[in-house]
Amino acid sequence: MSTLFSPVNVLAMVLFAAALAWRIYQVQRAPTVPNWAVTACVAGFALAFLLQQQVISDDIDAVFGLGAARVLNNALLACAVCALVVFFLGSALGPRRYRRVAVELVPLAAAIALMVVAMALTPPELRGLALGPSTIHDSGVAVFYLGAGLYLIYGLIACAAWIVRYLRVADRDLRIGLRMSAVGLACAAAGSIFRALYIVVAWAFGPVVKVLLLLGVPFVIIGGMLFLLGVTYPGVRARFSALRRRRQHRREHQALGPLWTVLVQAFPSIVLRTPPRRRAERLSPRSVHRVYYRRVIEIRDGLVQLSPYLDAGFGDVVATDPGAAADALKAALARHAAGEKSDGHAKQVLPAPADDIESDVRPLLALSAAMES
């Protein structure tokens, strides 16, 4: 079986797919320069990861010549890091970002050109081979990997520094993702530094310090995984929060049913008339929130219409003794149904408004439960 489907590779592909799907969704919602830049960054890393697999790189070399896969792989990594730098520039520099982005393209183009020239100067029998003791003393191989590595070091450190600056103003969920991304980029930069030291020591001075190369590989792999987790975490956390919120609104919509039913029977006009929606709209996640807020509004309207039959302190009773409030509400509904005359004055039917609608609905939930019992 091909190593393409090893457990580590499968996990990495799942993370890349999740991150790329989330970024494409964000671009569709807001096609801004920062969103496009992050999407290009994730796509570049994903393609570079695929090109590292022996099965795919052999096919690339067979079509374009030996060494083509190595050049394309490292060029994609450089483009991905450059896109990440562009993201931070686009988010921070405002109107000046386009000129600054153009400046960032210069070292990227120089690094890619250096890789192409170095690979062309490499002897054919060494092209496409991995960096190691048997290839490091060739100047073409050394210049190729050193040029690619130096650009990655510059870009990764610059991005990690930008992320640290953003941590001070980010919210909690985003801050967690940014921390993971910063640590991941720092780990990847450390791995690239180890590899650069390995190249410089072996090429310039002769000794092959294998431990530097061995240290670089796990740092880059762990750093890439952490970066992907950091990019994906805020979106995944937001999806789970939205799911919990929908479930909560669905439960509360059902729990408000007893109170809503008696008020609609007394005041049919409180039911909001809305145009018919298409099937896709009815099945969308937003429909759960729509019917929930609609029920809350209808209950409030019903209580306001019934308020002339209620005592002035009914709102406080709802907060302190839902059972007594339910009895008072039933008595008021009976008086209304019997056609008795009210005092004609609208009253406060709920406690003082809360900071959010969920807190404001709690007394309605307690009153509805008391009505049902």
Side-chain angles (χ1 to χ4, degrees):
M1 182 184 295
S2 172
T3 56
L4 178 63
F5 297 104
S6 66
V8 174
N9 284 351
V10 170
L11 175 61
M13 285 188 285
V14 169
L15 288 175
F16 275 123
L20 189 57
W22 173 248
R23 292 314 315 171
I24 291 174
Y25 171 72
Q26 291 295 320
V27 165
Q28 289 178 338
R29 294 183 60 189
T32 60
V33 170
N35 274 341
W36 273 110
V38 177
T39 305
C41 171
V42 175
F45 279 128
L47 291 173
F49 170 78
L50 289 176
L51 282 175
Q52 288 177 345
Q53 310 309 311
Q54 189 72 35
V55 176
I56 299 176
S57 62
D58 287 347
D59 291 340
I60 297 293
D61 285 344
V63 175
F64 298 101
L66 290 174
R70 290 283 177 184
V71 174
L72 187 56
N73 171 264
N74 285 273
L76 283 170
L77 287 174
C79 290
V81 172
C82 182
L84 196 58
V85 174
V86 169
F87 161 73
F88 290 112
L89 294 176
S91 301
L93 297 183
R96 297 179 297 154
R97 63 175 178 260
Y98 297 107
R99 183 183 304 173
R100 187 68 176 82
V101 166
V103 172
E104 282 297 324
L105 295 179
V106 174
L108 173 65
I112 294 175
L114 179 63
M115 286 187 278
V116 172
V117 172
M119 185 59 71
L121 297 176
T122 301
E125 64 273 12
L126 297 180
R127 293 176 186 174
L129 295 182
L131 183 66
S134 62
T135 58
I136 184 58
H137 292 101
D138 181 81
S139 296
V141 173
V143 171
F144 173 82
Y145 283 105
L146 187 60
L150 290 177
Y151 182 81
L152 292 180
I153 292 170
Y154 155 72
L156 293 172
I157 292 177
C159 293
W162 277 107
I163 290 176
V164 171
R165 291 178 61 181
Y166 272 125
L167 283 173
R168 293 174 294 181
V169 297
D171 58 37
R172 181 180 177 276
D173 290 343
L174 183 57
R175 195 180 303 125
I176 294 174
L178 288 175
R179 284 197 183 111
M180 287 192 289
S181 297
V183 173
L185 292 174
C187 285
S192 298
I193 291 172
F194 284 132
R195 191 175 74 163
L197 289 174
Y198 171 83
I199 296 170
V200 171
V201 170
W203 182 40
F205 303 104
V208 177
V209 186
K210 292 183 179 180
V211 67
L212 292 174
L213 190 60
L214 293 175
L215 282 174
V217 174
F219 269 87
V220 171
I221 293 175
I222 294 173
M225 295 287 189
L226 284 174
F227 172 73
L228 283 176
L229 287 173
V231 171
T232 309
Y233 177 82
V236 173
R237 182 64 183 267
R239 293 302 96 194
F240 277 113
S241 297
L243 181 61
R244 286 199 303 268
R245 187 178 177 85
R246 286 199 297 271
R247 288 178 176 174
Q248 176 188 349
H249 282 182
R250 191 178 290 112
R251 289 195 303 268
E252 292 183 355
H253 178 270
Q254 185 177 2
L256 290 170
L259 179 58
W260 177 83
T261 300
V262 296
L263 290 174
V264 168
Q265 290 173 349
F267 305 101
S269 62
I270 65 173
V271 177
L272 299 175
R273 306 299 177 185
T274 56
R277 297 189 302 274
R278 292 176 295 180
R279 179 179 177 82
E281 293 177 339
R282 293 196 302 269
L283 296 178
S284 70
R286 297 180 186 176
S287 65
V288 175
H289 306 303
R290 188 182 299 113
V291 297
Y292 167 77
Y293 292 125
R294 173 177 168 172
R295 175 157 290 187
V296 172
I297 293 171
E298 290 170 350
I299 288 175
R300 285 175 170 173
D301 288 347
L303 289 175
V304 170
Q305 292 196 36
L306 186 63
S307 65
Y309 292 91
L310 295 169
D311 294 334
F314 180 79
D316 296 329
V317 177
V318 170
T320 58
D321 190 352
D327 292 337
L329 185 63
K330 292 175 183 177
L333 287 169
R335 292 173 54 201
H336 172 267
E340 295 184 14
K341 187 176 181 180
S342 68
D343 60 13
H345 298 294
K347 303 179 183 68
Q348 179 78 23
V349 293
L350 288 176
D355 294 334
D356 55 83
I357 191 167
E358 277 73 19
S359 300
D360 206 30
V361 169
R362 286 171 192 158
L364 294 180
L365 291 168
L367 182 58
S368 182
M371 291 291 292
E372 186 177 28
S373 62

